[in-house]
Amino acid sequence: MAETVDGKKDEADYKRLHSFPLIRHTDMPEEMRVETMELCVTACEKFASNNESAAKMIKESMDKKFGNSWHVVIGEGFGFEITHEMKNLLYMFFGGSLAVCVWKCS
Amino acid sequence: MSVPHKVGTVKSKQATNVKAPVAKVVKAAGKKKDEEEATDTAEGEEWMPGKTLVKPPDQLDLTEEELNEEITRVLTANNPNAPQNVVRYGFKEGCYKPIIFVDQMAIHFELEGNLVHKESDEGRRLMAKQAEREEGTGAEKLDNVAKAGEKERKLTNQFNFNERASQTLNNPPRDISCQTEPPPRANFSATANQWEIYDFYVEELKRREKSKEKQEGQVLNKEEDKSKKKIIQAETQSDDITQLAHAAKIIERMVNQNIFDEVAQDFMYFEDAADEFRGEKGTLLPLWKLQYDKAKGLSVTALCWNPKYNDLFAVGLGSYEFTQEERGMLLFYTLKNSSYPEFIFNTTSGVMCVDIHEQLSYLVAVGLHDGCVAVYNLKKKSDQPVYNSTASSGKHRGAVMQVKWQKDDLDSNHNFISVSADGRVVSWTLVKHELVFTDIIKLPATDKVPDDLKDVIATAGTSLDFHKQKDHHFLVATEAGKIHKGSKYYSSKFLETYDAHFMTVSRVRWNPFHPNVFISCGWDWMVKIWDQTIKSPIFTFELKTSVTDVAWAPYSSTIFAAITNDGKVHVFDLSINKYEALCQQKVVSKKTRLLHIEFNPVNPIIIVGDDRGHVISLKLSPNLRKKPKEKKGQELPKGPEVEIAKMEQLLSSLR
C-alpha cells in the first residue's frame, strides 16, 4: 500500500517536474525558436483539453508571423516522418506528456 | 414662474410609443400647472374668476409624492419595434445561440427614383434612343448644326491642316519565365510516446543538475581565487592592448614620416645641384635629429649601424666625466621613426662602446664605464642583458673603451674582444649562459712609468680595430698616443708600434678597401693616415681643435670624415684634394661637442653624436661621394679593386 502511494506520489512528482517546455529537436534560429516555443506553451495551456484548437491557434499564428503553410501536430502518442523547409522545424515536449511538432512546408 | 419641464417631453418622431405615459405626465403637469395657475391667479389677479378643475374621468389618481416623482425618460436611437432577443440555431455548435446585434433600422418612407447613371448600360441605351428620336424631329436644326460643322470643317480642310499618323515599331513581345530555387527541405521523423517523453525529461534534469554542480564548484573556486582571476583579467586586458601595439607602432611611424616628410624626401632624393658650381667643395644636409628625453645629461659615447637593417642604429649613452652620476642607456633608433627610440635599455653604468654582430644583428655587445661587458639580445623583450661579466669572471678594472665582435670560434660560440682603460685586451666567449674571458694581450706601459710600477700603472687603451681581411691583425690605440699593431695569435708582444700622436689617440681605423692603410686621430688636433709598412704617416691633417672621431667612407677608399671639438664635421677626399677638406661644416650649436661619427654602410648619410645625447643625421652632397671619372668609351670598372688601385696610386705618388 505504501509502495503504491509512493508510486502515485512519484507519478505526480514527475508530472510536476517534467512539465516545463523542453525542446527535443529544432533547427530554427534563436529568435524564431523562442517565439514559437512561447506560442506553443500559450496555446497548450489555453486549450488544455482540446488539442485541435491548440493546434489551430498555433498554425494560424505561425502563418501570420512567418509565412504560409505551417503544419502543427499535438498529441501524446504518434509517430511521424515529415519533409520540412530547412530552419523551420520545432519539435518539443510540454506538460510531461504532450508532444508538439511544428513545421513549414508549402 | 418656472414650469418644470419633464425630461423627454420634447417632441420627437419616435415618441409614438411613449405617447401614453407622456400624455399622463402632461396631464399631471397640466393639472399641476392649473393648480399653480390657480394659486398664482389667486395671488396675482383677483379679478379673474376662479377656474374650476375639470378632471377627465380616466385620469390617474396620484398622490402628491407620486406627482412630484421625477420620471426620467431616456431617448435612444433603437427601433422600438425591433425584436430585442433574437435566437438562431447554430449548426456548428448544435444549439440555439442568441444574436446580440439586431437590426435597428425602421423604414418610414420609401420612394424609388428614376435617375439612371449615364455610363451604365441602361443609361447608354436610353441615350441612344433619345438620339434617334432627336434625329427624326430635329431636321430643321440640321442646317444650323451643319453650318456649325462646316465652320468647324473649314478650319480643318486639307489646305490648312494635315492629318498624319505613324506607328512606331513595337518591340515583339517575348515570354520569359524563371523558376526560383525552392527553399531547401529536409526530412525529419520521430515518435512521440509517453516513455520517450519521460526519458527525455529525465535526461534533461540530469544535465541540468550536472551543470548546476559545475557552477557551484566554480563559485567556490571563484571565491578562493579571486586574486588569480583578477590577474587573468588584467592579462587579457593587456593582451587586448598589446594587440593594438603593432597597429599603434605602424601609425606612429606613419605620423612621424608625415611630419618629417620633407626630411625623408631629402634623404632619398635630394641631390644638391649647387655642387656643380662649388667646384670641389661639398656640403652636408642636416636630416633628422634624434633625441630622447630621459637621455638628457648623457653624452653619446658610441654609435653603431645595424648591418642587416640599414635604418637601425645603436646609440650608447654614458658619460666621459668621472664625477658625474653613474647611469647609462643603450638606445636603438630607426630612421623610420625619428621621434622615439625603438629599443631602450637602461644600464647601471655609463655605456662606453657598442658593437652589433655582423651576422646575428640582434646580438649587441656593450662595454660599460665600470668595466663590465654585457651582451643584449634584441629579440628578447627583457630589459636585462643576456650575458653580463662580473668581477668574478674577469671584468675589466677600467672603463671598457671598445668592443668588437669576432667570427664564431671553432666551437661555434660567439665571441668578442674588448679593450679597456686597464690596458688589457680581452676576448670574451659566450658559452651557454656565461662569459668566459681570455686575456689576449696587455698593453705595454709607457716610457714615463718607472720600471717597478709598470705592472701596476696601466696604459689605457682607447680604440681597437680589426683588419678587414686578415682579422687576426688588429690595431689598438692608447692614451699615451701610441698605436700598436698586434695579432690574436701572439700574446706576448706587439708586431709593430707607431708613435702616432702627442696626446690620446681617440680613434684608429683600418681602411675598408686597401689592406695596408689605416687612419688615426687624436686630441693633438691631428688626423694621420698611415701605411702599415711605414713608420711615419703618409698624410697628416691639422684641424683646429682636438679631433674626437674619424671614420672611413664605406663606398670609397679615399674619403673619410673627422669630427672636432668645436662641432665641425670635416670631410676629405684624398683623390680630389690631398691637402684640404672638401667640406668643413658646423652641425651643432655652440658649446656642444661632437663625439662620434659613423657612416651608414648603404645610404650616403652620416650620423654624429654629441655630448647632449642627441644624434644628428646628415646627408653627403654629391661632391663628397665622387667615384672616379670614367674615360669615354671605357667601361668603368667597379668594385674594391678600383678603390685599392686609387689608394695605391696616391701612395705611390708620395713615396
Side-chain angles (χ1 to χ4, degrees):
Chain A
M1 280 292 285
E3 282 176 0
T4 50
V5 167
D6 283 338
K8 279 186 189 166
K9 272 192 189 165
D10 286 338
E11 248 189 62
D13 269 348
Y14 100 71
K15 285 266 180 189
R16 193 171 27 92
L17 283 170
H18 302 342
S19 55
F20 57 90
L22 177 61
I23 292 181
R24 168 77 170 79
H25 178 268
T26 181
D27 59 357
M28 279 182 179
E30 174 75 34
E31 259 188 62
M32 196 188 200
R33 172 174 9 122
V34 166
E35 224 182 309
T36 314
M37 197 169 89
E38 303 270 316
L39 172 66
C40 292
V41 169
T42 316
C44 290
E45 282 175 348
K46 185 167 178 192
F47 298 104
S49 51
N50 189 344
N51 286 345
E52 189 195 335
S53 331
K56 177 180 172 139
M57 175 178 165
I58 296 172
K59 180 235 169 22
E60 281 173 353
S61 317
M62 295 298 280
D63 277 351
K64 256 188 284 172
K65 272 187 237 177
F66 301 112
N68 265 349
S69 299
W70 283 86
H71 311 268
V72 181
V73 178
I74 305 184
E76 290 177 15
F78 58 92
F80 60 92
E81 160 102 34
I82 54 161
T83 308
H84 66 95
E85 278 177 33
M86 301 212 51
K87 304 243 171 98
N88 284 289
L89 167 73
L90 177 77
Y91 177 38
M92 61 180 275
F93 299 144
F94 175 68
S97 62
L98 212 56
V100 181
C101 186
V102 184
W103 74 95
K104 179 175 186 192
C105 186
S106 55
Chain B
M1 196 167 67
S2 62
V3 178
H5 283 281
K6 307 286 182 201
V7 174
T9 52
V10 177
K11 284 184 191 165
S12 75
K13 277 193 244 171
Q14 293 173 343
T16 47
N17 67 334
V18 299
K19 204 171 147 192
V22 167
K24 290 179 204 164
V25 174
V26 166
K27 280 179 192 167
K31 186 180 168 198
K32 216 183 167 193
K33 202 175 168 183
D34 287 344
E35 283 179 7
E36 277 189 342
E37 268 187 16
T39 49
D40 280 346
T41 48
E43 288 173 358
E45 283 138 7
E46 292 175 17
W47 59 272
M48 285 276 293
K51 284 189 184 169
T52 52
L53 285 171
V54 181
K55 260 194 188 178
D58 57 346
Q59 194 181 51
L60 277 175
D61 278 321
L62 297 168
T63 58
E64 281 291 321
E65 300 135 18
E66 280 177 327
L67 285 172
N68 283 334
E69 198 182 325
E70 291 257 343
I71 301 173
T72 51
R73 305 295 307 183
V74 178
L75 187 68
T76 61
N78 288 341
N79 182 1
N81 289 330
Q84 278 167 342
N85 43 358
V86 179
V87 175
R88 292 263 150 78
Y89 184 79
F91 286 93
K92 200 173 180 189
E93 287 86 7
C95 62
Y96 286 95
K97 263 185 8 182
I99 295 180
I100 308 160
F101 298 108
V102 179
D103 199 13
Q104 298 288 333
M105 195 170 79
I107 300 175
H108 295 284
F109 174 75
E110 205 174 330
L111 172 69
E112 289 212 27
N114 52 8
L115 286 173
V116 176
H117 199 277
K118 66 178 180 179
E119 303 291 335
S120 70
D121 290 340
E122 216 183 304
R124 287 204 196 111
R125 261 185 276 134
L126 284 172
M127 279 177 74
K129 278 190 197 167
Q130 208 181 33
E132 281 175 22
R133 259 184 269 134
E134 276 187 1
E135 271 178 36
T137 53
E140 72 254 18
K141 289 181 192 170
L142 265 173
D143 292 331
N144 296 336
V145 174
K147 277 180 193 166
E150 263 183 25
K151 279 182 195 162
E152 287 172 25
R153 261 180 258 132
K154 259 187 190 171
L155 291 168
T156 62
N157 63 22
Q158 275 184 331
F159 297 104
N160 291 343
F161 292 97
N162 219 342
E163 228 184 75
R164 188 167 285 192
S166 74
Q167 169 75 40
T168 57
L169 184 64
N170 285 339
N171 287 328
R174 225 159 254 210
D175 282 320
I176 293 183
S177 57
C178 179
Q179 166 84 20
T180 56
E181 252 186 60
R185 296 181 175 190
N187 279 357
F188 179 68
S189 61
T191 315
N193 287 328
Q194 289 305 299
W195 58 87
E196 274 233 7
I197 297 175
Y198 178 76
D199 285 342
F200 199 64
Y201 268 110
V202 164
E203 256 183 63
E204 175 70 19
L205 284 172
K206 273 189 204 161
R207 241 179 286 150
R208 288 192 184 180
E209 270 178 41
K210 269 186 193 171
S211 63
K212 269 187 198 167
E213 277 170 32
K214 272 186 195 169
Q215 273 184 355
E216 278 168 26
Q218 276 178 359
V219 164
L220 287 170
N221 287 341
K222 272 186 194 174
E223 284 166 3
E224 287 166 10
D225 305 276
K226 262 188 187 173
S227 58
K228 275 190 192 173
K229 281 239 169 185
K230 276 185 189 169
I231 293 168
I232 294 168
Q233 275 181 359
E235 278 177 0
T236 49
Q237 279 173 6
S238 66
D239 275 276
D240 295 335
I241 291 177
T242 49
Q243 279 164 11
L244 271 179
H246 184 67
K249 189 173 179 179
I250 293 175
I251 289 180
E252 187 189 3
R253 284 197 178 185
M254 289 325 298
V255 168
N256 272 309
Q257 285 181 19
N258 280 341
I259 294 173
F260 298 110
D261 183 48
E262 294 155 2
V263 177
Q265 300 289 340
D266 286 344
F267 160 71
M268 277 307 293
Y269 303 116
F270 180 75
E271 304 293 348
D272 199 347
D275 265 10
E276 288 175 47
F277 308 110
R278 253 187 241 137
E280 297 168 341
K281 306 275 179 189
T283 52
L284 295 168
L285 177 71
L287 297 171
W288 295 279
K289 186 169 179 184
L290 304 117
Q291 59 203 33
Y292 182 48
D293 298 339
K294 296 195 185 151
K296 268 188 190 165
L298 295 171
S299 322
V300 172
T301 52
L303 291 171
C304 185
W305 285 98
N306 189 311
K308 189 170 170 197
Y309 299 106
N310 297 320
D311 57 298
L312 187 66
F313 62 92
V315 179
L317 292 156
S319 169
Y320 283 117
E321 314 291 329
F322 286 105
T323 48
Q324 273 190 357
E325 58 181 59
E326 282 281 321
R327 70 181 180 99
M329 275 192 189
L330 175 64
L331 302 175
F332 281 83
Y333 282 97
T334 171
L335 296 176
K336 293 178 189 167
N337 183 355
S338 54
S339 59
Y340 202 78
E342 289 292 303
F343 299 100
I344 304 169
F345 298 97
N346 283 303
T347 57
T348 45
S349 153
V351 172
M352 297 304 287
C353 52
V354 175
D355 192 34
I356 302 179
H357 199 282
E358 268 195 52
Q359 281 84 40
L360 306 168
S361 58
Y362 55 86
L363 277 182
V364 180
V366 294
L368 302 174
H369 191 87
D370 60 3
C372 283
V373 290
V375 177
Y376 286 86
N377 186 333
L378 290 181
K379 281 194 184 170
K380 303 227 168 97
K381 306 279 178 184
S382 75
D383 198 34
Q384 293 305 307
V386 179
Y387 298 92
N388 208 338
S389 75
T390 56
S392 60
S393 58
K395 75 164 194 182
H396 288 282
R397 271 162 265 133
V400 178
M401 299 307 287
Q402 190 88 50
V403 284
K404 286 274 177 205
W405 282 103
Q406 301 296 300
K407 292 203 190 114
D408 288 356
D409 65 9
L410 295 165
D411 301 325
S412 63
N413 289 325
H414 308 303
N415 60 341
F416 62 91
I417 292 188
S418 66
V419 68
S420 92
D422 68 354
R424 282 161 59 217
V425 177
V426 178
S427 154
W428 303 88
T429 316
L430 273 65
V431 176
K432 288 185 192 174
H433 300 291
E434 275 184 344
L435 278 175
V436 177
F437 83 99
T438 324
D439 258 359
I440 293 195
I441 201 162
K442 196 167 152 64
L443 289 167
T446 50
D447 299 324
K448 293 181 193 162
V449 174
D451 281 338
D452 47 347
L453 291 172
K454 267 187 185 170
D455 289 330
V456 177
I457 300 177
T459 342
T462 52
S463 181
L464 178 71
D465 195 25
F466 284 85
H467 198 274
K468 299 286 179 291
Q469 283 87 37
K470 301 178 216 160
D471 71 327
H472 50 91
H473 276 143
F474 63 87
L475 288 167
V476 62
T478 64
E479 254 184 14
K482 289 206 186 355
I483 298 177
H484 302 276
K485 183 174 79 169
S487 170
K488 278 200 293 191
Y489 305 130
Y490 292 118
S491 58
S492 51
K493 66 172 198 169
F494 287 103
L495 297 171
E496 283 267 13
T497 305
Y498 305 90
D499 285 320
H501 297 267
F502 303 116
M503 292 172 74
T504 310
V505 183
S506 47
R507 179 69 93 169
V508 63
R509 284 205 219 225
W510 286 103
N511 187 302
F513 296 102
H514 201 285
N516 287 342
V517 176
F518 63 90
I519 192 171
S520 71
C521 67
W523 290 2
D524 61 351
W525 303 4
M526 305 283 205
V527 175
K528 296 191 180 174
I529 297 181
W530 308 75
D531 181 326
Q532 65 168 337
T533 52
I534 303 173
K535 279 270 181 180
S536 61
I538 309 173
F539 290 100
T540 310
F541 299 97
E542 197 213 319
L543 310 170
K544 302 291 184 330
T545 77
S546 47
V547 185
T548 45
D549 202 357
V550 69
W552 288 105
Y555 48 81
S556 165
S557 63
T558 51
I559 299 181
F560 65 91
I563 48 173
T564 56
N565 246 356
D566 57 358
K568 279 197 186 160
V569 179
H570 307 257
V571 183
F572 290 81
D573 187 344
L574 297 171
S575 57
I576 294 175
N577 188 330
K578 284 186 280 205
Y579 306 104
E580 263 188 352
L582 293 186
C583 167
Q584 287 183 17
Q585 188 169 329
K586 198 165 153 72
V587 295
V588 285
S589 55
K590 288 183 210 174
K591 294 191 186 173
T592 323
R593 295 162 54 214
L594 288 175
L595 291 170
H596 282 277
I597 184 172
E598 284 289 340
F599 276 83
N600 185 311
V602 171
N603 305 107
I605 60 172
I606 53 173
I607 44 170
V608 283
D610 63 9
D611 65 349
R612 292 223 179 123
H614 301 165
V615 176
I616 303 141
S617 56
L618 301 147
K619 184 166 182 179
L620 299 157
S621 70
N623 266 350
L624 303 172
R625 304 186 243 136
K626 276 208 175 136
K627 301 273 165 97
K629 279 188 184 165
E630 71 267 30
K631 291 182 191 160
K632 284 187 185 174
Q634 228 183 25
E635 254 189 49
L636 186 65
K638 301 230 182 210
E641 296 84 38
V642 182
E643 305 292 335
I644 297 172
K646 222 181 1 166
M647 201 63 190
E648 200 52 49
Q649 219 180 1
L650 266 173
L651 296 172
S652 58
S653 69
L654 286 172
R655 283 195 199 119

